Each structure stands twice: as C-alpha cells, then as structure tokens.
Amino acid sequence: QLAPNVRGAVIVTTPQDVAVMDATKAAKFIEKLELPVLGVIENMSGMACPHCGGTIDLFGTGGGKKAAGDLGVPFLGAIPLDPEMVKASDEGRPYILRHADSPTWRAVDGVMENLIEQIER
Ligand SMILES: [Zn+2]
C-alpha cells in the first residue's frame, strides 16, 4: 500500500491445500488494492536431497499450479527447498556463485524469466 510504482504482486505459496487457500485469500486482498496478480510461485516444491541430488517430496507438489488455475493467473514455476541455498544465505554468498548449473538454480531462473515476461506484458 505504501510502495510507489508497483507493477503487480506475486503470490508465493507452498504445495499443500491449506497454503493454496491462503494464497487465494492473498490474491483477493491484492485485487482490492487494484494491483494485477502477476502469477503464482510454488515454493518448497520438493527438496533437493543433499546426499544424492534427487528430489524428496516433502509437501507434495501441484498446489501452486492449482491455485494459479483457480485464480486465472499465470503459474510462474516451482522452486525446491535446497539446503545449499540455506547455507549460501547464512554465509552471505549468492547461491548462484557455486550452483549456477544446479536444478534449483534452473528452477529459480525459469521463474524469473516467466515473471519478467509477465511484467513486460
Ligand atoms: Zn538422496
């Protein structure tokens, strides 16, 4: 409400049904501010296993896509929980410096590309 020149809002949700309900409430609030909802991101969409690099299905997947579909806004993508990203944040080093070709970074990059596309529209 206080920020000037806001182009729109992005809803970040986790994959579970209850989070999707919260995302829907957030979207309704954003609409009251007469801001466009640029899309939905599903965060904590699986977890990158620190041992084998495989994906652990922590909270399920698909809630973000479902919320986007219900709201009629774009699904911007899903980002996994990655212990390496937590470590990078704690060390104050950008994650991309050491993990530019990881599946997690590809997911983040894809979400950013989709978001830029929505802003440009
Ligand atoms: Zn593993």
Side-chain angles (χ1 to χ4, degrees):
Q1 282 174 300
L2 298 175
N5 306 320
V6 176
R7 294 292 166 138
V10 173
I11 310 249
V12 180
T13 186
T14 50
Q16 312 94 312
D17 283 348
V18 63
V20 170
M21 280 161 50
D22 284 346
T24 306
K25 280 183 206 161
K28 296 230 157 73
F29 173 71
I30 292 160
E31 277 164 18
K32 277 186 188 154
L33 300 177
E34 296 182 350
L35 278 175
V37 177
L38 297 170
V40 175
I41 299 172
E42 182 174 293
N43 196 23
M44 300 189 194
S45 183
M47 176 179 152
C49 177
H51 306 293
C52 69
T55 303
I56 301 167
D57 197 14
L58 278 179
F59 304 113
T61 52
K65 201 169 204 171
K66 186 181 180 301
D70 289 356
L71 297 168
V73 299
F75 177 59
L76 300 172
I79 297 174
L81 189 63
D82 188 336
E84 288 297 321
M85 194 173 277
V86 177
K87 208 190 287 175
S89 301
D90 285 348
E91 290 171 1
R93 294 164 180 242
Y95 175 84
I96 189 175
L97 291 183
R98 275 182 287 172
H99 304 283
D101 55 359
S102 69
T104 300
W105 189 256
R106 282 196 293 277
V108 171
D109 199 45
V111 165
M112 289 192 296
E113 289 288 339
N114 290 336
L115 182 55
I116 289 166
E117 201 181 302
Q118 290 308 315
I119 292 168
E120 283 172 349
R121 271 189 203 164

